[in-house]
Amino acid sequence: MDRDLKSLFETVDQLNPHERAQLMNYLTSGFRPHAPDRQPPREWQFDLAPGVIKTAPDFDDPLPDEFWMGEA
C-alpha cells in the first residue's frame, strides 16, 4: 500500500499548477466531474406518438362489486 501512495504522490508532483488545481477541484467536489454548459431540460412535448396508447371504451364505467370484493 505504501508503494501505491508513493507512486501517487510522485505522479501528483509531476503535475503543473493548473492540473493540480483541477485535481483538487475534482477531489473536493465529491469525485463528480465538472459538467460545463449544462443545458436546461426541454419542455414537455405532447403528441409525440399519437395513437400509440388506446383506452378501452368502458374505461370510465364503474367496476363490478366482484372486483372490489376480490372475487374477480
Side-chain angles (χ1 to χ4, degrees), residues 36-69:
D37 302 327
R38 271 195 187 169
Q39 296 179 356
R42 295 184 304 168
E43 281 192 35
W44 186 265
Q45 293 181 356
F46 293 97
D47 292 330
L48 290 177
V52 172
I53 298 175
K54 300 199 185 293
T55 305
D58 64 346
F59 179 79
D60 289 324
D61 291 352
L63 294 170
D65 289 337
E66 292 83 21
F67 174 83
W68 298 110
M69 302 303 280

